[in-house]
């Protein structure tokens, strides 16, 4: 016997579609989902993750990662905040601009993204090179930055930076150009394993395998490794820019959060130099990858600092 399934009428089908869209919209508003979006900002496509509603928190990732690094914490933040986590210009699914792949220019583009989304004030968080972009954002737009969280790296141009920049163990700052590109091509995973493993207090508590595959794929695309390296090439420019910006101390609350086995202490000292209201948290038995190595304490510190 053949049974014929009756399809819903057109009005019923439209009704079901609207219900589905309403459920998705409600889930997004409540922060139950992470939405992936893109925006055209001054001729450059910027990809970002978003969720929740309320006061705005901007999350800026570091090198060897993308906005994906924030996925574990976005649902928690989205309970009280509207979260915006972009891929930095040139990295991930954001477009590669023709020029301006440096910290200050990236901050200007992220600010333009925020303004295009109707954001007037934000609490800004950055890790690694994202920390530098976050500082440039806060220093250029202090009236629009409610709080600033800096996570395990350093500030070029601020006292103490040379010792980190010139450390022979951090050779990759100067590893760029045509020959390095050829050496890394097809070996991106091997190259990144150095950072993910050696910069962690314990490589077994570092970047998860699924994320390693995703980041390797993202940086293996044409032009992406060179774009990522451009931020390192810009360190001398950042040093000049930040030395000038640091003449005016930040007045908003600033959190310096880093690993005991990485840059936690050095970053804390720099934060005190550039801000009048700095809190320093150094995570014990933790390396550079604070979100992945020590998610509990890192998340608690961020939630406590960012506030309700």
């Amino acid at each position: 016997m053949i049974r014929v399934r009756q399809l819903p009428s057109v009005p019923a089908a439209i009704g079901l579609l609207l219900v589905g869209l309403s459920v998705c919209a409600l889930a997004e508003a409540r922060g139950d989902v992470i939405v992936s979006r893109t925006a055209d900002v001054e001729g450059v496509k910027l990809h970002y993750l978003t969720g929740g509603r309320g006061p705005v928190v901007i999350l800026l990732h570091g090198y060897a990662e993308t906005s994906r690094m924030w996925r574990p914490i976005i649902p928690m933040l989205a309970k009280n905040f509207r979260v915006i986590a972009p891929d930095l210009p040139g990295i991930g699914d954001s477009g590669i601009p023709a020029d301006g792949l440096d910290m200050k220019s990236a901050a200007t583009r992220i600010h333009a993204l925020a303004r295009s989304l109707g954001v007037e004030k934000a609490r800004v968080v950055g890790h690694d090179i994202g920390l530098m972009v976050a500082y440039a954002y806060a220093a250029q737009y202090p009236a629009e930055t409610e709080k600033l969280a800096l996570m395990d790296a350093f500030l070029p141009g601020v006292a103490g930076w040379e010792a980190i920049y010139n450390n022979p163990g951090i050779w990759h700052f100067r590893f760029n150009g045509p020959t390095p590109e050829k050496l890394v091509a097809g070996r991106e995973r091997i190259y990144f394993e150095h950072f993910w493993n050696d910069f962690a207090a314990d490589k077994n508590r570092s970047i998860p395998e699924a994320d390693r595959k995703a980041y390797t794929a993202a940086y293996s695309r044409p032009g992406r490794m060179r774009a990522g390296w451009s931020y390192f090439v810009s360190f001398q420019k950042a040093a000049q820019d930040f030395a000038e910006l640091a003449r005016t101390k930040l007045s908003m609350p600033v959190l310096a959060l880093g690993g005991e086995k990485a840059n936690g202490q050095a970053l804390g000292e720099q934060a005190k130099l550039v801000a009048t209201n700095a809190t320093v948290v150094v995570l014990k038995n933790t390396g550079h990858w604070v979100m992945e190595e020590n998610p509990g304490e890192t998340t608690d510190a961020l939630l406590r600092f960012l506030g309700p």
Side-chain angles (χ1 to χ4, degrees), residues 23-37:
V23 170
C24 290
L26 181 60
E28 180 182 341
R30 289 177 177 174
D32 297 333
V33 297
I34 299 173
V35 181
S36 175
R37 291 181 175 157

Side-chain angles (χ1 to χ4, degrees), residues 88-291:
L88 292 177
I91 297 178
D93 289 325
S94 286
I96 302 175
D99 55 18
L101 273 173
D102 61 85
M103 312 306 176
K104 192 174 178 181
S105 297
T108 301
R109 287 191 169 102
I110 298 301
H111 175 260
L113 170 66
R115 296 296 289 181
S116 75
L117 299 176
V119 176
E120 296 182 356
K121 291 181 181 293
R123 302 167 197 197
V124 185
V125 180
H127 175 250
D128 191 73
I129 59 171
L131 167 162
M132 302 172 197
V133 177
Y135 172 73
Y137 187 111
Q140 290 182 95
Y141 312 105
E144 299 176 49
T145 307
E146 296 176 309
K147 295 182 179 182
L148 173 67
L150 307 174
M151 297 170 57
D152 208 274
F154 64 99
L155 294 171
V158 177
W161 81 281
E162 296 96 336
I164 301 172
Y165 180 71
N166 292 322
N167 183 339
I170 310 181
W171 51 266
H172 63 281
F173 289 158
R174 296 171 174 84
F175 185 76
N176 56 77
T179 299
E181 282 186 44
K182 292 177 181 177
L183 291 172
V184 171
R187 305 177 183 88
E188 291 85 359
R189 175 70 183 252
I190 297 172
Y191 170 71
F192 282 133
E193 291 284 350
H194 162 66
F195 307 118
W196 297 330
N197 294 341
D198 296 355
F199 289 5
D202 178 354
K203 68 179 182 180
N204 296 314
R205 292 191 297 116
S206 185
I207 310 298
E209 177 61 21
D211 290 345
R212 293 182 183 221
K213 290 180 178 178
Y215 298 145
T216 299
Y219 283 83
S220 297
R221 291 157 54 197
R224 295 293 167 165
M225 192 64 72
R226 182 185 306 175
W229 285 346
S230 294
Y231 286 97
F232 297 147
V233 174
S234 78
F235 272 7
Q236 294 299 327
K237 180 182 187 307
Q240 295 176 358
D241 291 338
F242 288 9
E244 181 63 31
L245 291 171
R247 292 178 182 273
T248 302
K249 284 198 171 187
L250 301 176
S251 59
M252 78 285 295
V254 173
L255 171 67
L257 174 65
E260 177 190 37
K261 305 293 186 180
N263 301 301
Q265 193 61 48
L267 177 61
E269 294 303 318
Q270 286 191 313
K272 294 174 184 177
L273 295 175
V274 301
T276 60
N277 182 10
T279 299
V280 179
V281 176
V282 179
L283 302 174
K284 292 188 177 300
N285 301 314
T286 305
H288 178 64
W289 310 102
V290 291
M291 275 294 301

